[in-house]
């Protein structure tokens, strides 16, 4: 069948030799010729004349007739910006032609011809020219446009048309939709802000709470799976978003959404960046937050501990106004189909078996990761039972495994067995009904190595549950140290023996019960309504000046 459709003298091997971009893409040569090559006028056998250049290919300093046509085509396309390119390429010599520079070396150096065309993005979504030397802009002008090829990921992103009303739009940026701190906070921001604004959720990666986000936001824009966002694509996305919705401002809900911030600011969308992360987290490359801090209209840190850490890594913050604001308590979105009372399922029954009037339950919560200090949690339990072997105390950890590091979780379970703690330390998977969990535990042990202001700590204070935590390891520890009532619940950093002693003292003195009322009073620091109102008021104040500066 293939021989009937391709020319009789078509040779796949020769086609790949003549078209190295097709070979680099590792696609079927016959299929490529039928889908693209024939309409592009590609050769499939060696021509009689030697050294016939590909359109847009680099053939050295000599200017062939084909190259001259390519350059003229670029000049007329409206996709090349001379002034913008000169600045981007650092060209100060007026005798250098910017189009020649772009064709000869610019694109291979990672430069784009303008903000209207992203060469890397075009290669990324058109894998048949992905790794070839074929000039991306020339390919698009010669073939891609007439073939209807996508020139940007924007062609794959759906933005819903809306009816114009007096209510303004705002944008909330999500790096993912997991049931973890920042995404949960983002959903809560939408729930509160939608009373006043029409809210757009811009989502980099989907996850378990995506349906809750879609129900709450008026518009949800999801970046397709596997798409890498290059700067030019972020700019085009911001430009289209502004043209369609003209949002008043945006909230970048995590430093992991930092790729959007420079483009949003450049296009005239003032951005508030919420920073919950420490700068020295292993997944944040050194120096990668410079643009976020320098270009955001306003920066808000969740705790002073996080602010000091970021300033120590990014001195630019010394010249950037920022604010420290305690995060409000988040509600947990639960899809109707997944709402299950924990007391009615096997996990709830397991907790009930541990719970009776004489037992004392110490809980840790979060993903089973090194940062959450699950190993410190287990070592504390081991130290506790060495010192106080007859206490009726159980240690439970509630949270799923980190799929990127299952070896860590498996090793911690092995340690539990080796320490002989199998009947004293219990692991539970992620549970939806945390209110039930809080009603069954006596103490939260925050064993994290670094945890800015975890939602579970805020939730525990609201339920009146005392918290044992490490000094200089979390925002809640910092707040406790400022209070004479709660400072004795902070132990030296990673001192598992001191943590074991603090747990024992709390369990034997019965201090947990009278502490509940005082802890609930302390929880008034974490009012989501006040938190959101302060963020909104700040951006109303700053967005007017930011918009005026942009227009000027």
């Amino acid at each position: 069948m293939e021989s009937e459709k391709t020319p009789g003298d078509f040779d796949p091997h020769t086609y790949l030799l003549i078209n190295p971009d097709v070979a680099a893409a590792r696609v079927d040569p016959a299929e490529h010729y039928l889908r693209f090559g024939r309409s592009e006028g590609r050769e499939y056998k060696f021509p009689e004349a030697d050294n016939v250049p590909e359109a847009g290919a680099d053939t050295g300093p000599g200017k062939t007739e084909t190259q001259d046509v390519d350059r003229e085509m670029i000049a007329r396309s409206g996709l090349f910006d001379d002034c913008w390119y000169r600045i981007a390429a650092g060209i100060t010599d007026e005798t250098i032609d910017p189009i020649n520079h772009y064709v000869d070396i610019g694109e291979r150096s990672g430069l784009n011809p303008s903000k209207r065309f992203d060469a890397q993005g075009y290669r990324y979504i058109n894998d048949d020219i992905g790794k070839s030397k074929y000039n991306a802009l020339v390919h698009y002008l010669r073939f891609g446009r007439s073939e209807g090829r996508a020139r940007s990921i924007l062609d794959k992103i759906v933005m819903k048309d809306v009816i114009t009303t007096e209510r303004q739009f705002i944008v909330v940026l999500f790096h993912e939709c997991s049931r973890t701190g920042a995404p949960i906070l983002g959903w809560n921001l939408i729930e509160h802000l939608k009373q006043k604004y029409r809210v757009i959720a811009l989502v980099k990666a989907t996850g378990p709470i995506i349906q809750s986000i879609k129900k709450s936001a008026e518009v949800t824009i999801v970046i397709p799976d596997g798409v890498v966002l290059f700067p030019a694509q972020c700019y085009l996305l911001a430009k289209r978003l502004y043209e369609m919705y003209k949002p008043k401002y945006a909230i970048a809900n995590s430093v992991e959404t930092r790729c959007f911030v420079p483009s949003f600011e450049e296009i005239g969308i003032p951005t508030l960046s919420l920073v919950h992360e420490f700068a020295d987290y292993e997944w944040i490359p050194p120096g990668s937050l410079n643009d976020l801090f320098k270009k955001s209209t306003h920066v808000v840190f969740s705790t002073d501990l996080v602010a000091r850490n970021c300033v120590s890594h990014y001195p630019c913050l010394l010249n950037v106004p920022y604010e420290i604001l305690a995060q409000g308590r988040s509600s947990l979105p639960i899809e109707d189909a997944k709402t299950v009372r924990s007391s009615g399922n096997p996990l709830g029954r397991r907790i009930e078996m541990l719970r009776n009037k004489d037992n004392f339950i110490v809980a840790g919560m979060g993903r089973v990761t090194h940062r959450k200090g699950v190993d410190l949690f287990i070592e504390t339990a081991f130290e506790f039972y060495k010192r106080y072997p007859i206490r009726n105390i159980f240690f439970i950890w509630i949270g799923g495994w980190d799929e990127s590091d299952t070896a860590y979780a498996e090793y911690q379970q092995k340690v539990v067995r080796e320490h002989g703690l199998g009947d004293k330390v219990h692991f539970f998977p992620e549970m939806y009904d945390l209110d039930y969990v809080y009603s069954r535990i006596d103490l939260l042990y925050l064993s994290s190595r670094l945890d800015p202001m975890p939602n579970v700590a805020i939730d525990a204070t609201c339920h009146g549950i005392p918290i044992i935590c490490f000094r200089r390891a979390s925002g809640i520890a910092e707040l406790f140290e400022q209070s004479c009532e709660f400072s004795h619940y902070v132990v030296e950093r990673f001192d598992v023996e001191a943590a074991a002693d603090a747990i024992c003292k709390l369990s034997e003195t019965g201090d947990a019960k009278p502490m509940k009322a005082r802890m609930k009073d302390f929880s008034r620091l974490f009012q989501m309504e006040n938190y959101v109102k302060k963020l909104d008021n700040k951006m109303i104040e700053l967005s007017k000046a930011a918009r005026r500066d942009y227009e000027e």
Side-chain angles (χ1 to χ4, degrees):
M1 184 175 182
E2 179 181 298
S3 60
E4 294 176 2
K5 293 184 178 180
T6 55
D9 54 353
F10 181 86
D11 178 62
H13 181 67
T14 303
Y15 185 71
L16 294 177
L17 287 176
I18 297 174
N19 299 282
D21 56 317
V22 181
R26 297 186 178 182
V27 296
D28 180 80
E31 182 181 351
H32 183 276
Y33 177 78
L34 294 171
R35 290 184 61 192
F36 308 113
R38 183 159 49 193
S39 62
E40 293 174 1
R42 289 183 182 246
E43 297 288 345
Y44 60 86
K45 59 182 179 180
F46 290 110
E48 295 181 2
D50 294 334
N51 302 319
V52 178
E54 293 183 34
D58 178 28
T59 56
K63 304 297 187 292
T64 66
E65 181 179 345
T66 300
Q67 288 179 309
D68 291 340
V69 171
D70 291 344
R71 285 161 171 75
E72 179 64 26
M73 186 167 51
I74 290 173
R76 296 196 311 266
S77 68
L79 297 177
F80 192 91
D81 185 327
D82 283 31
C83 294
W84 185 91
Y85 183 82
R86 282 184 180 276
I87 294 171
I91 299 173
T92 56
D93 186 345
E94 292 295 328
T95 64
I96 295 178
D97 180 84
I99 292 180
N100 287 340
H101 185 278
Y102 170 70
V103 172
D104 291 340
I105 61 173
E107 187 181 289
R108 293 200 303 274
S109 302
L111 295 171
N112 288 317
S114 69
K115 291 182 179 179
R116 294 183 295 278
F117 186 85
D118 182 4
Q120 295 179 68
Y122 184 72
R123 291 182 182 280
Y124 179 81
I125 58 181
N126 294 284
D127 57 5
D128 58 313
I129 69 160
K131 296 181 180 179
S132 74
K133 294 182 180 180
Y134 210 107
N135 184 280
L137 179 55
V138 171
H139 185 279
Y140 174 73
L141 295 173
R142 279 188 175 275
F143 313 116
R145 183 161 51 189
S146 62
E147 293 170 359
R149 291 195 186 212
R151 89 176 192 214
S152 165
I153 61 161
L154 296 187
D155 298 328
K156 299 185 178 183
I157 295 175
V158 178
M159 293 193 188
K160 185 174 77 172
D161 290 327
V162 294
I163 299 172
T164 303
T165 68
E166 292 184 359
R167 294 177 71 206
Q168 290 183 288
F169 281 101
I170 63 166
V171 185
V172 179
L173 306 173
F174 289 78
H175 72 292
E176 63 180 23
C177 299
S178 63
R179 285 180 171 271
T180 55
I184 296 293
L185 173 60
W187 177 80
N188 278 264
L189 291 174
I190 295 176
E191 283 292 292
H192 283 77
L193 289 166
K194 72 180 185 181
Q195 310 304 322
K196 181 178 180 180
Y197 299 103
R198 306 170 78 183
V199 183
I200 303 164
L202 177 56
V203 176
K204 281 183 67 179
T206 188
I209 68 168
I210 184 61
Q211 294 306 320
S212 295
I213 292 170
K214 287 181 176 180
K215 289 176 184 176
S216 297
E218 181 167 342
V219 177
T220 301
I221 302 168
V222 180
I223 306 300
D225 288 344
V227 167
V228 177
L229 289 166
F230 300 107
Q233 292 173 328
C234 288
Y235 177 85
L236 293 171
L237 176 61
K239 186 171 184 292
R240 181 183 293 182
L241 191 147
Y242 183 77
E243 289 170 349
M244 290 188 68
Y245 307 114
K246 293 185 170 51
K248 186 177 184 66
Y249 64 82
I251 297 178
N253 188 40
S254 163
V255 300
E256 294 300 303
T257 61
R258 61 187 177 273
C259 63
F260 297 113
V261 173
S263 296
F264 272 54
E265 291 285 355
E266 188 174 352
I267 210 67
I269 305 175
T271 304
L272 169 67
S273 291
L274 300 179
V275 181
H276 321 282
E277 299 89 346
F278 291 95
D280 45 10
Y281 277 165
E282 61 271 17
W283 63 83
I284 300 176
S288 63
L289 304 185
N290 266 316
D291 276 354
L292 178 81
F293 292 139
K294 289 179 179 179
K295 297 185 178 181
S296 296
T297 295
H298 194 54
V299 176
V300 172
F301 293 100
S302 56
T303 68
D304 186 55
L305 182 67
V306 176
R308 293 198 308 272
N309 175 270
C310 288
V311 169
S312 69
H313 289 77
Y314 293 89
C316 64
L317 280 166
L318 296 172
N319 301 313
V320 173
Y322 62 82
E323 185 177 1
I324 299 166
L325 189 59
Q327 176 187 315
R329 184 196 179 192
S330 292
S331 301
L332 187 66
I334 303 178
E335 293 77 20
D336 292 339
K338 293 182 178 179
T339 302
V340 179
R341 287 296 300 172
S342 297
S343 56
N345 66 33
L347 298 181
R349 290 195 289 273
R350 280 182 61 197
I351 292 178
E352 293 295 345
M353 291 174 65
L354 300 176
R355 181 80 206 178
N356 64 50
K357 64 180 180 180
D358 297 321
N359 289 344
F360 189 93
I361 296 185
V362 179
M365 297 188 199
R367 285 191 177 276
V368 181
T369 64
H370 181 264
R371 181 173 69 86
K372 290 292 184 180
V374 181
D375 54 309
L376 298 175
F377 185 86
I378 294 169
E379 290 304 318
T380 300
F382 182 61
E383 287 297 327
F384 181 90
Y385 290 115
K386 278 200 313 185
R387 293 161 179 257
Y388 315 105
I390 61 173
R391 302 288 182 188
N392 292 325
I393 293 184
F394 292 93
F395 288 74
I396 67 173
W397 187 276
I398 299 172
W401 288 20
D402 183 352
E403 294 180 0
S404 66
D405 190 12
T406 57
Y408 175 81
E410 291 169 351
Y411 181 73
Q412 299 316 314
Q413 291 191 327
K414 178 183 176 182
V415 171
V416 168
R417 293 192 298 270
E418 290 178 348
H419 282 341
L421 298 175
D423 61 336
K424 297 294 186 181
V425 177
H426 301 265
F427 287 91
F428 293 83
E430 181 181 25
M431 300 175 71
Y432 294 138
D433 191 359
L434 290 181
D435 284 340
Y436 166 78
V437 173
Y438 293 123
S439 72
R440 294 298 188 271
I441 67 174
D442 297 287
L443 182 146
L444 177 68
Y445 176 25
L446 192 65
S447 57
S448 301
R449 288 179 163 83
L450 277 179
D451 223 342
M453 185 58 75
N455 285 337
V456 293
I458 297 174
D459 288 343
T461 64
C462 294
H463 283 82
I465 297 170
I467 304 169
I468 299 296
C469 48
F470 292 126
R471 182 170 286 113
R472 302 190 311 279
S474 67
I476 198 72
E478 194 170 59
L479 292 176
F480 277 2
E481 287 189 286
Q482 296 169 8
S483 166
C484 58
E485 279 192 297
F486 306 111
S487 59
H488 59 293
Y489 291 139
V490 182
V491 301
E492 284 303 319
R493 198 173 192 196
F494 311 150
D495 188 340
V496 295
E497 295 178 355
D501 289 338
I503 292 169
C504 180
K505 183 179 179 181
L506 187 62
S507 65
E508 69 183 0
T509 61
D511 190 30
K513 293 181 179 178
M515 181 62 67
K516 280 186 179 290
R518 297 196 296 273
M519 192 64 76
K520 286 183 178 179
D521 286 340
F522 177 82
S523 72
R524 291 175 183 171
L525 284 172
F526 310 112
Q527 298 296 317
M528 181 61 76
E529 186 174 349
N530 293 340
Y531 175 71
V532 176
K533 188 174 182 180
K534 288 178 181 178
L535 296 179
D536 183 43
N537 287 341
K538 176 60 71 172
M539 288 310 291
I540 289 173
E541 171 193 342
L542 296 177
S543 61
K544 293 178 182 177
R547 189 66 201 169
R548 184 172 58 249
D549 291 344
Y550 173 76
E551 290 173 351
E552 289 176 356

